[in-house]
Amino acid sequence: MTEFWLISAPGEKTCQQTWDKMMVATTRTNNLSTNSKFNIPDLKVGTLDVLVGLSDELAKLDTFVESVVKKVAQYMADVLEDSRDKVQENLLANGVDLVTYVTRFQWDMAKYPIKQSLKNISEIVSKQVTQIDNDLKARASAYNNLKGNLQNLERKNAGSLMTRSLADIVKKEDFVLDSEYLITLLVVVPKPNYGDWQKTYETLAEMVVPRSTNLLFEDNDSGLFSVTLFRKAIDDFRHKARENKFTVRDFQYNEEEMKADKEEMTRLSTDKKKQFGPLVRWLKVNFSEAFIAWIHIKALRVFVESVLRYGLPVNFQAMLLQPNKKNMKKLREVLYDLYKHLDSSAAIIDASMDIPGLNLSQQEYYPYVYYKIDCNLLDFKV
């Protein structure tokens, strides 16, 4: 389970009491969740107006930062291609796995100085993550172009004889070159039709050079044959060949072009290898930065929401619960019983219940402050 519930409740006589009560309710007898304190420093409160406005801004920022975190994680998986099982070990925050980072969260004073106003801190995060998002777009676009061009060339050199490039199959000596009258054609013949080909190719048009066919290459289904004829008979030969289920490939032997294709493939392949290492390093560093920023946004949201709900002076305990998957419904009920006195209007809303017309994912509301943190950031299971 990589889902966490970040909640807060007002301090009783002390915040420790709030913590102890929650621990007794959720772990002492029933093992509903694994819990840890979530440490939020003494942030500057500011005015009520600012807090109300900030509450909306932080909700939008939370969604944006989460989307960037997921984009970087997903792109890491795309770049690692065949090593997708290695993705998780590259998705770290501050050098540790995500669950460890979240459960041992410490505010980063250097990046987000708490002497600054809440609004300034949220703007620092916003600028930082917008920069990561823009950089990701630019880097992904450059790398994807390179990868796409390489794949197109690789595709040209793979596939069936009907479609693939023939440049790496044929040799100079397979062709009659520099003749004013003669030309060598390449013909794809299905394997069951080899006998028909040998019997008929000399009669498919006038002016086919006798005994001029050679089998140059085979794949699972077909063979590639060469045949030499007079240039003026090409159209006639093509037409008759098609009637007999033989396919004449458009191909002219051009050493310069073939050499250029090979060089381009080598260049793209080398470029891709060169860019791969630095790109993965950039993704690791910036995934960590974006994830850390995201958890700081969660901390800001808990702080702002707790002050708005529970009032001043600031006195609440933030707690991180990792629900036991089988007992999530029960955990919701226990927390509701524990905190329903905080807000009698907050009836228990179960986000898994589908009530027509209610978009519950946007409207989960409980008598305590609650935000979800889901550390499973990839669309596939690794």
Side-chain angles (χ1 to χ4, degrees):
M1 248 321 249
T2 51
E3 182 178 311
F4 292 92
W5 295 357
L6 178 55
I7 71 168
S8 85
E12 315 252 334
K13 286 195 180 109
T14 65
C15 286
Q16 184 61 35
Q17 265 182 307
T18 306
W19 167 254
D20 292 340
K21 241 185 189 175
M22 192 274 301
M23 285 296 283
V24 169
T26 59
T27 61
R28 189 64 52 85
T29 54
N30 43 19
N31 189 26
L32 297 178
S33 57
T34 308
N35 309 325
S36 44
K37 284 183 178 174
F38 190 83
N39 296 310
I40 301 175
D42 295 331
L43 299 167
K44 280 191 163 179
V45 176
T47 66
L48 189 62
D49 281 357
V50 169
L51 288 181
V52 171
L54 201 54
S55 176
D56 287 342
E57 280 170 37
L58 287 171
K60 289 178 195 143
L61 189 54
D62 187 349
T63 306
F64 167 64
V65 177
E66 181 180 3
S67 76
V68 173
V69 169
K70 284 183 169 167
K71 265 193 270 185
V72 179
Q74 197 58 54
Y75 195 60
M76 172 93 76
D78 295 347
V79 169
L80 288 174
E81 292 174 33
D82 302 332
S83 321
R84 284 187 152 207
D85 50 333
K86 302 273 194 305
V87 178
Q88 217 67 57
E89 66 197 53
N90 284 299
L91 296 179
L92 303 175
N94 249 357
V96 296
D97 66 86
L98 306 185
V99 169
T100 304
Y101 178 79
V102 174
T103 50
R104 297 185 190 161
F105 174 75
Q106 292 293 324
W107 187 275
D108 189 328
M109 302 285 182
K111 270 197 196 102
Y112 311 112
I114 58 173
K115 289 197 170 72
Q116 302 256 8
S117 70
L118 297 174
K119 192 161 178 50
N120 281 3
I121 294 172
S122 77
E123 279 166 4
I124 292 170
V125 173
S126 179
K127 273 188 195 142
Q128 178 199 9
V129 178
T130 301
Q131 185 65 53
I132 291 173
D133 193 34
N134 292 338
D135 286 356
L136 176 66
K137 281 176 193 150
R139 285 166 188 268
S141 169
Y143 189 74
N144 290 352
N145 279 342
L146 185 60
K147 197 163 121 181
N149 292 340
L150 184 59
Q151 278 169 343
N152 286 341
L153 275 182
E154 283 168 348
R155 217 172 280 129
K156 265 166 91 180
N157 290 325
S160 79
L161 281 171
M162 301 292 270
T163 54
R164 66 169 291 174
S165 164
L166 304 176
D168 58 336
I169 291 173
V170 296
K171 301 183 189 72
K172 193 173 183 177
E173 53 267 29
D174 297 328
F175 294 82
V176 173
L177 296 170
D178 308 322
S179 164
E180 197 177 331
Y181 301 109
L182 293 174
I183 186 168
T184 302
L185 297 181
L186 298 177
V187 184
V188 179
V189 178
K191 279 186 173 171
N193 301 23
Y194 280 10
D196 293 349
W197 168 257
Q198 294 291 357
K199 271 188 232 142
T200 61
Y201 79 92
E202 292 177 5
T203 60
L204 292 176
E206 291 178 355
M207 302 183 174
V208 175
V209 177
R211 294 191 297 284
S212 65
T213 193
N214 284 305
L215 176 60
L216 306 180
F217 185 84
E218 286 185 297
D219 65 12
N220 292 337
D221 308 308
S222 316
L224 185 71
F225 287 84
S226 61
V227 61
T228 301
L229 57 147
F230 278 74
R231 286 179 183 274
K232 60 168 85 167
I234 290 177
D235 289 343
D236 204 16
F237 185 88
R238 271 180 194 280
H239 182 68
K240 286 280 178 18
R242 197 179 308 124
E243 283 178 1
N244 285 274
K245 298 196 170 62
F246 310 139
T247 308
V248 178
R249 283 287 308 265
D250 277 324
F251 183 83
Q252 284 191 322
Y253 187 86
N254 182 325
E255 224 158 357
E256 290 302 308
E257 264 181 40
M258 284 157 64
K259 190 175 164 212
D261 268 6
K262 274 189 182 144
E263 282 170 0
E264 176 69 353
M265 186 129 172
T266 309
R267 185 186 70 76
L268 288 172
S269 187
T270 309
D271 275 4
K272 188 183 166 202
K273 282 187 188 123
K274 262 192 208 153
Q275 286 191 26
F276 176 80
L279 179 60
V280 170
R281 280 195 294 282
W282 184 90
L283 288 165
K284 282 172 74 164
V285 167
N286 287 277
F287 173 81
S288 175
E289 292 295 306
F291 187 84
I292 289 166
W294 186 40
I295 303 307
H296 279 75
I297 287 292
K298 295 287 188 194
L300 282 179
R301 291 190 77 187
V302 169
F303 182 84
V304 168
E305 206 57 35
S306 299
V307 173
L308 286 173
R309 285 221 209 167
Y310 311 140
L312 292 168
V314 175
N315 178 27
F316 66 88
Q317 179 66 53
M319 303 167 274
L320 191 73
L321 284 61
Q322 191 172 8
N324 182 332
K325 197 169 187 181
K326 293 181 194 136
N327 298 331
M328 288 172 91
K329 196 160 180 282
K330 178 72 180 149
L331 179 60
R332 273 282 175 235
E333 288 163 6
V334 165
L335 290 176
Y336 179 72
D337 284 340
L338 194 57
Y339 299 123
K340 63 185 173 197
H341 64 281
L342 297 174
D343 186 348
S344 56
S345 66
I348 206 162
I349 294 181
D350 182 356
S352 63
M353 273 169 35
D354 199 12
I355 302 169
L358 253 190
N359 181 358
L360 287 171
S361 62
Q362 300 301 312
Q363 300 196 5
E364 287 178 287
Y365 183 76
Y366 303 97
Y368 47 91
V369 171
Y370 160 79
Y371 296 106
K372 185 166 88 168
I373 300 173
D374 189 349
C375 292
N376 187 28
L377 301 164
L378 297 165
D379 291 344
F380 62 90
K381 296 284 178 282
V382 286

